[in-house]
Amino acid sequence: MEWTDSGIVLGSRPQGETSLILSVLTRDHGRAKGLVRGGARSRQRGLYEPGNHVAVIWRARLAEHLGHWSLESLAALTAQFLDDSVRLACLSAAVALAESCLPEHQPYPGLHDGLMRLTQALADDDGWAPAHLGFECQLLADLGYGLDLASCAVMGTTEELAFVSPRTGRAVSRAAAGEYQDRLLVLPRLLGGTGRADSDARGDLMDGLRLTGHFLDRNLFQPHAQTLPAARSRYVERLERLLASDQG
């Protein structure tokens, strides 16, 4: 069996003394793993860094077997921000979520394209934090747990949407929230809400990550007695420190 595709490297681990098992999110064949013989000692070792865009050929005797990769670089983006710990943490968070949540060999072309946009934004150092938040929302939606933020779950209105129910993932207007505001999650401006009255763009972003983090954990990890990937937690912590230092 053989197929060709394009994809994004998610990560690798050693296999034996010289080879690697490489995980790639491809556009038309989903997340797939395969062996790269000699990859651990190859001069092309940088090709296998997470976030790089690659053209791939996957070969195996049967579809359920561990295949073998042949890869060609399309864009070695990761090298452009290896010296930026926050952008690297952002990339690590995104690929860890894709690796942890997506079933093998099931295509999610929208998620593939969203991760492509995120890696390009990271390389360009332009809008990568909102792009990451958008990727997390898309991950929830494509796996069947999309947030319903179009109108108020209580009143049906589309104005002054300020909160999200932590149970249902539906938007709640400021008027409908009333005395229960403290029990609800903030719907930030980045996701079409009004956000906190006293929040700036930094606070708005962190409210968005708290929102998606809650539903990622609740719907995709807790049911399997797991927790959010440590890479995602590290990213949020580093981002908080970066934003705090900018304010100082």
Side-chain angles (χ1 to χ4, degrees):
M1 181 179 182
E2 177 179 313
W3 48 259
T4 62
D5 208 337
S6 60
I8 307 159
V9 177
L10 297 180
S12 64
R13 60 179 174 85
Q15 177 71 10
E17 293 184 0
T18 63
S19 298
L20 297 172
I21 293 180
L22 193 71
S23 180
V24 180
L25 179 60
T26 65
R27 193 176 199 281
D28 298 324
H29 297 84
R31 183 175 67 88
K33 292 182 178 180
L35 189 71
V36 181
R37 294 194 184 279
R41 293 183 177 178
S42 171
R43 293 180 180 179
Q44 291 186 306
R45 186 69 179 86
L47 174 63
Y48 313 129
E49 291 293 334
N52 284 339
H53 299 181
V54 291
V56 299
I57 302 174
W58 186 91
R59 299 183 180 92
R61 281 190 59 215
L62 298 172
E64 60 268 23
H65 288 178
L66 177 69
H68 291 75
W69 289 120
S70 296
L71 297 96
E72 179 181 344
S73 176
L74 294 178
L77 300 179
T78 309
Q80 299 181 39
F81 53 92
L82 283 174
D83 58 347
D84 189 321
S85 63
V86 181
R87 279 191 283 167
L88 277 177
C90 178
L91 174 64
S92 297
V95 298
L97 286 169
E99 181 72 16
S100 301
C101 297
L102 298 181
E104 286 195 69
H105 304 297
Q106 185 169 334
Y108 291 93
L111 274 174
H112 168 274
D113 294 350
L115 189 55
M116 280 278 191
R117 289 191 294 271
L118 172 59
T119 54
Q120 188 63 62
L122 284 164
D124 295 339
D125 197 10
D126 181 24
W128 49 268
H132 175 269
L133 181 61
F135 173 76
E136 291 194 344
C137 288
Q138 188 173 10
L139 181 63
L140 285 166
D142 283 12
L143 293 179
Y145 301 103
L147 305 177
D148 184 354
L149 308 178
S151 61
C152 175
V154 180
M155 304 174 68
T157 58
T158 59
E159 298 178 353
E160 287 293 307
L161 300 178
F163 303 99
V164 177
S165 165
R167 184 177 62 85
T168 66
R170 297 191 63 186
V172 180
S173 69
R174 194 174 302 279
E179 63 187 69
Y180 298 102
Q181 293 186 13
D182 291 344
R183 302 182 188 181
L184 303 174
L185 297 161
V186 175
L187 179 56
R189 289 177 286 274
L190 275 171
L191 298 179
T194 62
R196 300 178 191 268
D198 59 347
S199 181
D200 59 10
R202 299 174 178 87
D204 201 57
L205 174 61
M206 300 314 299
D207 283 334
L209 290 171
R210 279 187 282 271
L211 177 63
T212 53
H214 170 82
F215 288 103
L216 288 168
D217 187 39
R218 179 179 183 270
N219 295 319
L220 300 179
F221 291 94
Q222 287 185 18
H224 304 287
Q226 298 175 349
T227 59
L228 281 168
R232 206 271 184 181
S233 301
R234 287 194 295 269
Y235 165 59
V236 173
E237 291 169 0
R238 290 191 176 187
L239 190 59
E240 285 178 330
R241 290 199 295 269
L242 174 67
L243 297 179
S245 64
D246 287 347
Q247 287 178 320

